Amino acid sequence: MEAKLESFTIGTLAWFPHVDEAYVVGSLTAKEINGDELSLTFSLSNNQEKIFKQSLKKLESKGYDDELLPPLVNPQHLVDQTDDLTNLSHLHTPAVLHTIKTRYLQEIIYTYSGLVLVAMNPFQNLNIYSSQIMKQYAGRPRDELEPHLFAVTEQAYRQMIHQKINQSIIVSGESGAGKTQSARYVMRYFAVVDETPTGANLDAGSSIEDAVLSTNPIMEAFGNAKTTRNDNSSRFGKYIAIQFEPKPSDSQSVSIVGARIYTYLLERSRLTFQPSSERNYHIFYQLCAAAPAAERKEFGLAHWDQYHYLNQGKTGTVNGMDDVAEFAITQKGMSTVGIPISTQLKIFRICAALLHIGNIKIFENEEDGNADIDDEDDALKMASILLGLDLTQFKQWLIKSQMITRGETFIKNTNVNQAITARDSVAKYIYSMLFDWIVQIVNVKLDTVKLSKESRFIGVLDIYGFEHFQNNSFEQFCINYANEKLQQEFTRHMFRLEQEEYVSEKLNWSLIDFSDNQPCIDMIEKKLGILDVLDEESRMPNGKDSSLINKYYQIFANKDHLFFEKPRFGQSEFIIKHYACKVTYQIDGFIEKNKDTVTEEQMNTLNNSTFDFLKEVIAVDKSSNSSTDTNKVAKTNQSKKPTLGSIFKASLISLMDTIRQTNPHYIRCIKPNQSKAPFEFEPHNVLSQLEACGVLETIKISRAGYPSKMTYEQFAEDFKTLLHSSKWNTDAKTLTQDILKSAIQVPNRFELGLTKVFFRAGQLAFLEKIRSIKETAFAVLGQKNFKRNRDRKLFLKKRNAAIVIQKTIRGYLARKLVKQMRRDAAIILIQKTFRRIITRRRFLKLQASAKKIQRVWRRYMYKRNQFKNNQTKAATKIQSVYRMYKTRKSFKRLRNATIAVQAAYRGRKARAQYKLMKAEARSVGKLKETNYRLENKLFEVSQSLDQKKQDYNEMLRKNTILEEQLNQWKEKFHGIEQLKNNLAVGTQDELAEARKKIQLLQEANSKLQKENELLQGMIKKRDDSIGIMRKDSKNDKTKLEEQSKNQKQESNTILALRKEISVLKDQLSRNTNNKRMPLVQRHTSPVLAENYSTLSRGSSIVKKASHPVMTAESPQAVDSPKSNPSLLQSSELSTELTQALIFNIRIPIPSIQFEANKKDILFPSHIIGFILTEFLTHNMIENVRETLNTCISAIQAAANKLEYDYITLFWISNLTELHGILRTIRLQLPRASINSNDESPSALLHSINNNLKIVLVDTYQSWITHLRQTLTAMIVPAMIESQDVPGYICTKYNAKPGQKTFDHLLAFLNTVLKTMHSSFIDDLSIAKVLTDLIRVIGVLSFNHLLMRRNFLTWKRGIQIQFNVTRLENWCNEISLNEANIYLEQLHQASKLLTMNKVTDADIDSIFSTCSSLTATQIKKLLSLYCAVEFDTAVPSQLIKKAGDRASAGGKFSSLLVDLDANALTLQPEAKSVRNIEKYIPEWIDLPIINGIIQSVEVDATNNAIRQQSAQVSLEGR
């Protein structure tokens, strides 16, 4: 017995009922057993004492059932970490209420309760519904992130896709609990969930999603109203089936293709009556406030308080709701779903007419006391005009009725009350038909696509919750009847799921009993049930509410109907025991509300209306209703008109059938307080709603079985401390069994399944209590050892101090002795030093004398040996000269022999090569090629020879001129000599002057002689070169003659080749005579011509001399190299460019060991640019357009495959190069061409370059998007879940096998970096791309961390901080320091997890350290923190303090970081390409392009020769 009551020890906490707080905590202070009585004394938190007594026999008979004992309190850390109520160890009503309250006061509004999501209304806007939050839940399992309605919606969405089963999301709750808003967020999530991860905004093609979302403001305007409990209360039920179709491109994704709305039980009575402080439907107030002036005048609209149907509640405005703005939203929604403006005005016209109908004054006629209406009543006239009714007939059938008795028809007057009822019935009928017509039209607009067999839908049911007021009428009866049906389906579904898990785990279990409300439902809907009796009484001519209640008493007030009660007093009420509670219904108005129809005469009046739209609206009653098929009801009894109760019953049965065919998901909305105050909790109010919405029933079902369950691995990790470490087993299941055998002695408290261990209620808390006791004992033992070590350290410290003192004294005495010993030693040292100095002086004197004697002797010996050395050197010199002569002679003999051998060997090889060439020369292709080359060479040699002859003639002319000048100078010299002889006898002055002249003439003569010698040398050199050229020409001619002789053997081929050669000669002669410039070079300046020549000539195959710049001093213009036009016009050129050069190119794979040079890689863009320049040279503009468009399209197709990053980047690099080439060519075109019309080359290049830039940017962005998608899949496993720090491993939520690690993330980033480098992407673009990837990593990791449930621990903080540090170090290694700023928030969040979170000072430290985090984010992290391994949970007051800081600014800051808010602009940088590389490797076959390149190079060679000749001519001048 003690073992069975061991949970109740001194200090145990338990719950006890309380009047105000529902439940309070009590602490066990005394435990006594007196005979058969157990007495437990508790001290309550309100300072009261509670004594609990129970019979031991009763406890034993019930197996010590926990329900017979006070409900125990769960450990606080379990409450803080639990977001699913079924995971509580002590599972009972006060525990559920306390957990929900704790989470709600921490501003956590969502909590799971098994299958159900409990949603508390916060009564303020929370920033937890943004698109960033939706992205976090998209694709995530339900249990991975914290509870949210997006998690339930995502679960339904994914189950629909993967299981191919229709889904239903049932949102229920009382008025004001937030059902409508929750359903709105659910539909918004469906409209956004299938967008790409990088953007959650709907694109332009999402008109269906817009239309589905636009139904919300329409249905709310016509079906919602302000009540005392809710400012936007739905006064009808709706089921929106959102239809999905699989996408053709991906069967695992779907798109919204349509929707359909079903409505249930619109509250018609609200149109004609509203209680105090409530409003009519929103549309009437919107119309009065925002109708345009023209329509206001036409419809006769006034202020809302002028209408009887609107002013009864004395409330025309709602706080926080702008009727003008809401009216605009309603109109926009109607336009979005396809209702035109003209039809909208007709709808508003009917609404205005209904207001006027309510203002029709019905009074009692003084003469006969019957009801009467004034013929001049303005409201009657306006209503008749707006509805197109005959005023007389309309008035007549409002105050009169027609009766048929025994075949006779007569008109009967009615009293005032009957007339008012008839008036209100007409208004309610018209409005209900208008509402159904709007729903029908919306369905027609939304359901436009023919669904396939693969189509699925997700239904969102927004239906009223259980209602229990002071006065309950027919509407509350129908609402509670619907909730009975829904509760039954919910209970059965929960029971089925609970049993399925037990079966799958193969537990030994018995059937769980649960309260089935089927008898209550049968009493309501079966034959002769409440609804059946109501319909029967409603069809009777004199049916009354009093007779109806008497029938109820007679049929149901007996022992056979346990769910019906007759009140003790009064005869106008009856009580039904619903699943939630007993509800007393007032019978007044049941029959009238159940009929809720207009008379046949009134229907005829409406059908005779001149307003066609009114006829269309009321015709809806004759067809299928938007919410239910009334024909099904009518078929049961053709003679009976269906009542409102029968219609509602049929629609409810249809709804239940739909839900049973789908997989249901439940969202239970709770209203925490009646004052609508933010985050205020009223326990009794919440408790009643938990009971009404079935949450407590869920707890009962779970409690009856095994509510607590854990995997073997998790249990063994958490509770292995209960077993001695020597008994630990590596097998988790075996270890679990050993732990449970030693800890739980009571039988039937747990069951072992295949993968989990299941516990009865309270057992998990019991185990945690035992673990806490053991951990406390471990802590005491640790403290004891710590104190022992501390005292021992103190003792050792004192002992060491005593030793130090002793050592100091002994050291002082020793130093004193040493000092005396040093004094004695110093005296001895002084004496020794003095003696040494005296002795040394004597030694140095003797040493100096000896050195002097030695120096004299050595000088004598050196002079004597010097003579001998000179003789030896002379002999050596003679011998070396002789030996050198002999060696040189031998070397020359050997070299001549070697040359002879080499000459013989080379001659042999040359003869073999000659035979081979001779054989090749006989082939047609080789002969053709040889002839072509020889003709070109012959032409070149002939041109060069002519030029040399001209140069030689010019040199001869210059030599003749110089000889003539020399003769003239000689004559002058002879004259001077003669004059000298004549003047020999002259004076000395004249002689001196003559000598000076002679000297000058001699100097001039010597200069002329030197110039003559120089010219003679140049002439000789020119003669030698001309001779060599003549010799080469003669040899070439000889070779040509020999080859022509060989070609005579194939006469036909030789004739064809000669004809072709003759044609080529003619063409060459024409090109030589017609010195034309290319298209680009003809109109450009000399500098641009040189640049163009360089651009079109830069080939890596043959390196020729660059062309000179054309100047005015040049003797003639030199042509730029040109290609063969026939090759450019070949039809196979385009195919060769696209197929061979683009689609079949070998793209080099990036390698870490080998880094390729850009010049060694074939870039198709350069080849395309080269072909483009040749097109422009030959003025082939149309070829430019066709070729560029074809090549750009081909490159785009090759790049957009996104198979490998290096392939896409290679083509991006080529597109960038081509863009730069086109821009450079366009800039080099003449200015006149740039400014010309659209047909000019410049305009064409500009247009194509713009298109190329668009393709380049699109391809670049597609690659970036592909990178982000690949990276996103590995961010969370690598950054958040990866654990690389040993000793801090978290076993809970550990990484799955095969999951990406941080090393995979770094490998991915390194691959991207290497690939971009290998593709020669510029450094700025590389930095931008990597920075953006780091930003994505930081943002997504941080956002995921904020949403992860039961995950944040101090160990996780260390692991995440380590991963962030590694990523920052990687950024620093590649000089990407600026990217670290995007990791700051994640870094600070990981620091927060490792900081102390206990005192108020810790909060200040957290906010100062985490400066990059907002107060809302800090509060969220603190609320999600989980305590592990002797750690303490974050106190609720600290979370509240963080919440106060978050709300200090008046509104909450953003929770998640927007990934798109600070997105970088990623575009490839423009390049400036100066040289076109025409490198073509051997492995690619491009015959046409190679021919074009060779023809250009041949032309370039000819131009170089002509340029050299022109330069020689200039030098000759």
Side-chain angles (χ1 to χ4, degrees), residues 1254-1427:
I1254 294 173
V1255 172
L1256 174 60
V1257 173
D1258 290 344
T1259 305
Y1260 196 74
Q1261 292 297 335
S1262 299
W1263 175 70
I1264 293 296
T1265 303
H1266 174 70
L1267 273 186
R1268 289 180 179 176
Q1269 292 175 350
T1270 306
L1271 179 65
T1272 301
M1274 64 174 68
I1275 288 177
V1276 173
M1279 293 296 298
I1280 304 300
E1281 298 176 352
S1282 178
Q1283 302 185 84
D1284 297 327
V1285 182
Y1288 299 94
I1289 304 298
C1290 297
T1291 56
K1292 192 174 183 180
Y1293 298 104
N1294 202 356
K1296 301 176 182 178
Q1299 189 169 278
K1300 299 293 185 181
T1301 63
F1302 187 82
D1303 293 333
H1304 291 96
L1305 180 65
L1306 279 186
F1308 173 78
L1309 294 176
N1310 284 320
T1311 301
V1312 173
L1313 176 61
K1314 180 61 182 177
T1315 304
M1316 296 184 75
H1317 275 306
S1318 301
S1319 300
F1320 302 99
I1321 305 296
D1322 58 281
D1323 294 339
L1324 182 59
S1325 297
I1326 294 176
K1328 284 185 177 181
V1329 170
L1330 292 178
T1331 302
D1332 183 71
L1333 295 182
I1334 298 299
R1335 183 181 67 88
V1336 172
I1337 292 173
V1339 172
L1340 294 185
S1341 300
F1342 180 72
N1343 288 347
H1344 181 84
L1345 203 62
L1346 288 175
M1347 303 302 297
R1348 194 66 178 267
R1349 60 180 292 204
N1350 296 338
F1351 188 79
L1352 304 185
T1353 62
W1354 63 273
K1355 287 186 175 182
R1356 287 287 180 185
I1358 293 176
Q1359 298 287 354
I1360 295 172
Q1361 194 169 352
F1362 177 72
N1363 293 337
V1364 173
T1365 303
R1366 289 181 65 187
L1367 189 57
E1368 289 177 344
N1369 292 337
W1370 182 83
C1371 294
N1372 296 333
E1373 289 176 0
I1374 63 172
S1375 301
L1376 202 66
N1377 302 345
E1378 63 276 6
N1380 291 335
I1381 190 174
Y1382 296 109
L1383 300 174
E1384 188 62 26
Q1385 287 180 309
L1386 182 61
H1387 203 171
Q1388 292 185 7
S1390 62
K1391 285 183 179 179
L1392 185 148
L1393 298 179
T1394 60
M1395 296 176 68
N1396 292 329
K1397 297 171 280 292
V1398 180
T1399 64
D1400 295 344
D1402 294 337
I1403 283 290
D1404 298 332
S1405 177
I1406 287 173
F1407 273 88
S1408 61
T1409 302
C1410 304
S1411 57
S1412 297
L1413 305 183
T1414 64
T1416 303
Q1417 293 167 347
I1418 293 176
K1419 171 184 167 294
K1420 185 68 173 178
L1421 290 171
L1422 293 176
S1423 64
L1424 294 176
Y1425 185 79
C1426 297

Side-chain angles (χ1 to χ4, degrees), residues 250-269:
D250 185 6
S251 61
Q252 294 301 315
S253 61
V254 295
S255 59
I256 297 177
V257 296
R260 189 166 186 83
I261 301 175
Y262 305 86
T263 59
Y264 307 93
L265 193 63
L266 176 68
E267 188 183 10
R268 301 185 183 189
S269 61

Side-chain angles (χ1 to χ4, degrees), residues 1000-1055:
L1000 292 173
L1001 291 174
Q1002 288 177 349
E1003 292 176 356
N1005 186 24
S1006 62
K1007 289 181 179 180
L1008 289 174
Q1009 289 179 353
K1010 290 180 180 180
E1011 289 179 0
N1012 187 22
E1013 293 175 357
L1014 181 61
L1015 290 174
Q1016 292 293 336
M1018 292 177 62
I1019 291 172
K1020 185 177 181 181
K1021 289 180 180 179
R1022 295 297 181 186
D1023 293 339
D1024 294 340
S1025 62
I1026 290 172
I1028 293 172
M1029 293 179 68
R1030 288 177 176 174
K1031 186 177 180 180
D1032 293 340
S1033 177
K1034 186 176 181 181
N1035 293 334
D1036 291 339
K1037 288 181 180 180
T1038 304
K1039 291 180 180 179
L1040 285 174
E1041 291 176 357
E1042 292 177 355
Q1043 290 183 2
S1044 63
K1045 291 178 181 179
N1046 295 331
Q1047 292 174 4
K1048 289 180 181 179
Q1049 297 176 0
E1050 300 177 1
S1051 59
N1052 295 332
T1053 305
I1054 292 175
L1055 291 175

Side-chain angles (χ1 to χ4, degrees), residues 567-766:
R568 297 178 60 185
F569 304 100
Q571 295 293 323
S572 63
E573 297 177 346
F574 65 94
I575 301 173
I576 295 180
K577 297 178 182 179
H578 290 288
Y579 72 94
C581 62
K582 295 181 180 180
V583 179
T584 302
Y585 296 100
Q586 285 72 36
I587 200 65
D588 294 338
F590 258 62
I591 294 178
E592 189 64 35
K593 292 178 180 179
N594 188 42
K595 291 180 180 180
D596 202 18
T597 56
V598 294
T599 64
E600 186 175 351
E601 294 75 22
Q602 292 170 343
M603 279 297 302
N604 292 333
T605 302
L606 295 177
N607 287 326
N608 293 330
S609 170
T610 59
F611 187 23
D612 294 336
F613 181 70
L614 178 62
K615 295 180 181 179
E616 181 183 349
V617 168
I618 63 177
V620 175
D621 192 27
K622 302 176 182 179
S623 61
S624 60
N625 188 272
S626 61
S627 60
T628 169
D629 192 359
T630 58
N631 293 329
K632 293 181 181 180
V633 181
K635 288 178 181 179
T636 60
N637 192 342
Q638 297 293 340
S639 62
K640 297 179 181 179
K641 187 174 182 179
T643 62
L644 190 60
S646 61
I647 293 174
F648 183 70
K649 174 184 173 181
S651 65
L652 193 57
I653 293 174
S654 175
L655 174 63
M656 290 299 104
D657 292 338
T658 302
I659 292 177
R660 291 189 188 102
Q661 295 172 4
T662 62
N663 185 21
H665 306 264
Y666 295 92
I667 299 176
R668 301 305 198 201
C669 299
I670 305 296
K671 186 177 181 179
N673 58 78
Q674 295 299 330
S675 59
K676 305 175 187 176
F679 295 105
E680 288 189 8
F681 193 86
E682 296 177 359
H684 287 288
N685 180 42
V686 174
L687 192 60
S688 64
Q689 294 179 69
L690 291 175
E691 181 71 33
C693 69
V695 173
L696 296 184
E697 189 67 25
T698 306
I699 300 303
K700 291 178 183 178
I701 294 175
S702 298
R703 183 181 174 84
Y706 299 93
S708 301
K709 57 187 79 70
M710 298 178 69
T711 61
Y712 289 118
E713 292 77 10
Q714 184 179 355
F715 179 83
E717 182 64 27
D718 291 347
F719 293 98
K720 62 183 179 181
T721 54
L722 300 181
L723 199 65
H724 195 273
S725 59
S726 62
K727 299 180 180 180
W728 288 358
N729 196 306
T730 56
D731 183 26
K733 187 173 183 179
T734 305
L735 181 57
T736 300
Q737 291 176 341
D738 295 340
I739 294 172
L740 293 176
K741 287 180 182 179
S742 63
I744 300 179
Q745 306 297 331
V746 182
N748 197 26
R749 291 296 181 180
F750 65 89
E751 283 289 341
L752 299 176
L754 297 179
T755 60
K756 297 178 182 178
V757 55
F758 295 79
F759 298 96
R760 293 287 187 185
Q763 293 307 304
L764 202 57
F766 171 69

Side-chain angles (χ1 to χ4, degrees), residues 363 372-378 380-381 391-392 395:
F363 58 90
D372 198 1
I373 301 174
D374 189 357
D375 293 336
E376 299 299 326
D377 191 315
D378 294 336
L380 178 62
K381 291 181 179 179
L391 188 145
T392 304
K395 172 188 172 183

